[in-house]
CSV table of all heavy atoms in Angstrom, one decimal:
chain,number,residue,atom,x,y,z
A,57,TRP,N,101.9,143.1,176.0
A,57,TRP,CA,102.7,143.9,175.0
A,57,TRP,C,103.3,145.2,175.4
A,57,TRP,O,103.6,146.0,174.6
A,57,TRP,CB,101.7,144.2,173.8
A,57,TRP,CG,100.8,143.1,173.4
A,57,TRP,CD1,100.8,141.8,173.9
A,57,TRP,CD2,99.7,143.2,172.5
A,57,TRP,NE1,99.7,141.1,173.3
A,57,TRP,CE2,99.0,141.9,172.5
A,57,TRP,CE3,99.1,144.2,171.8
A,57,TRP,CZ2,97.9,141.6,171.7
A,57,TRP,CZ3,98.0,143.9,171.0
A,57,TRP,CH2,97.4,142.7,171.0
A,115,ASN,N,96.3,156.4,178.7
A,115,ASN,CA,96.3,155.1,178.2
A,115,ASN,C,96.0,155.1,176.7
A,115,ASN,O,95.8,156.2,176.1
A,115,ASN,CB,95.2,154.2,178.9
A,115,ASN,CG,93.8,154.8,178.6
A,115,ASN,OD1,93.3,154.8,177.5
A,115,ASN,ND2,93.2,155.3,179.7
A,116,GLY,N,96.2,153.9,176.0
A,116,GLY,CA,96.1,153.9,174.6
A,116,GLY,C,94.7,154.3,174.0
A,116,GLY,O,94.6,155.1,173.1
A,117,SER,N,93.6,153.8,174.6
A,117,SER,CA,92.3,154.1,174.1
A,117,SER,C,92.1,155.6,174.1
A,117,SER,O,91.5,156.2,173.1
A,117,SER,CB,91.2,153.5,175.0
A,117,SER,OG,91.4,152.1,175.0
A,149,TYR,N,91.6,146.8,165.8
A,149,TYR,CA,91.4,147.1,167.2
A,149,TYR,C,92.1,148.3,167.6
A,149,TYR,O,93.3,148.5,167.4
A,149,TYR,CB,91.9,145.9,168.1
A,149,TYR,CG,91.7,146.2,169.6
A,149,TYR,CD1,90.5,145.9,170.2
A,149,TYR,CD2,92.8,146.7,170.3
A,149,TYR,CE1,90.3,146.2,171.5
A,149,TYR,CE2,92.6,146.9,171.7
A,149,TYR,CZ,91.4,146.7,172.3
A,149,TYR,OH,91.2,147.0,173.6
A,150,HIS,N,91.3,149.2,168.3
A,150,HIS,CA,91.9,150.5,168.7
A,150,HIS,C,91.6,150.9,170.1
A,150,HIS,O,91.8,152.0,170.5
A,150,HIS,CB,91.5,151.6,167.7
A,150,HIS,CG,92.0,151.4,166.3
A,150,HIS,ND1,93.3,151.5,165.9
A,150,HIS,CD2,91.3,151.0,165.2
A,150,HIS,CE1,93.4,151.2,164.6
A,150,HIS,NE2,92.2,150.9,164.1
A,151,GLY,N,91.0,149.9,170.9
A,151,GLY,CA,90.8,150.3,172.3
A,151,GLY,C,89.4,150.1,172.7
A,151,GLY,O,88.5,149.7,171.9
A,221,GLU,N,96.2,150.1,162.2
A,221,GLU,CA,97.3,149.5,163.0
A,221,GLU,C,98.3,149.1,161.9
A,221,GLU,O,98.1,148.2,161.2
A,221,GLU,CB,96.8,148.2,163.7
A,221,GLU,CG,95.8,148.4,164.8
A,221,GLU,CD,95.2,147.0,165.1
A,221,GLU,OE1,94.1,146.7,164.5
A,221,GLU,OE2,95.7,146.3,166.0
A,255,ASP,N,97.9,154.0,164.5
A,255,ASP,CA,97.8,153.5,165.9
A,255,ASP,C,99.0,152.5,166.1
A,255,ASP,O,98.9,151.4,165.8
A,255,ASP,CB,96.5,152.8,166.1
A,255,ASP,CG,96.4,152.1,167.4
A,255,ASP,OD1,97.4,152.1,168.2
A,255,ASP,OD2,95.3,151.6,167.7
A,257,ILE,N,100.3,151.9,169.0
A,257,ILE,CA,100.2,151.6,170.4
A,257,ILE,C,100.8,150.3,170.7
A,257,ILE,O,101.6,150.1,171.6
A,257,ILE,CB,98.8,151.7,170.9
A,257,ILE,CG1,98.3,153.2,170.9
A,257,ILE,CG2,98.6,151.1,172.3
A,257,ILE,CD1,96.8,153.4,171.1
A,258,ALA,N,100.5,149.3,169.9
A,258,ALA,CA,101.1,147.9,170.1
A,258,ALA,C,102.4,147.7,169.3
A,258,ALA,O,103.3,147.0,169.8
A,258,ALA,CB,100.1,146.9,169.6
A,284,LYS,N,101.6,151.6,175.5
A,284,LYS,CA,102.2,150.3,175.8
A,284,LYS,C,103.7,150.4,176.1
A,284,LYS,O,104.0,150.7,177.2
A,284,LYS,CB,101.8,149.3,174.7
A,284,LYS,CG,100.3,149.0,174.7
A,284,LYS,CD,99.9,147.7,174.1
A,284,LYS,CE,98.5,147.3,174.4
A,284,LYS,NZ,97.6,147.3,173.3
A,465,ARG,N,91.7,138.4,173.3
A,465,ARG,CA,92.5,138.8,174.5
A,465,ARG,C,92.2,137.7,175.6
A,465,ARG,O,92.7,137.7,176.6
A,465,ARG,CB,92.0,140.1,175.1
A,465,ARG,CG,93.0,141.2,174.7
A,465,ARG,CD,92.9,142.4,175.7
A,465,ARG,NE,93.6,143.5,175.1
A,465,ARG,CZ,93.7,144.7,175.7
A,465,ARG,NH1,93.1,144.9,176.8
A,465,ARG,NH2,94.4,145.6,175.1
B,1,PLP,C1,96.2,148.0,173.4
B,1,PLP,C2,95.8,148.7,172.2
B,1,PLP,C3,95.0,149.9,172.3
B,1,PLP,C4,94.3,150.3,173.6
B,1,PLP,O1,95.3,150.7,174.6
B,1,PLP,P1,94.8,150.7,176.1
B,1,PLP,O2,96.0,151.3,176.9
B,1,PLP,O3,94.5,149.2,176.5
B,1,PLP,O4,93.6,151.5,176.2
B,1,PLP,C5,94.7,150.6,171.2
B,1,PLP,N1,95.2,150.2,170.0
B,1,PLP,C6,96.0,149.1,169.9
B,1,PLP,C7,96.5,148.8,168.5
B,1,PLP,C8,96.3,148.3,171.0
B,1,PLP,O5,97.0,147.2,170.8
Side-chain angles (χ1 to χ4, degrees):
W57 323 347
N115 61 67
S117 303
Y149 178 80
H150 297 290
E221 289 163 273
D255 175 355
I257 289 167
K284 291 200 165 118
R465 264 202 189 176

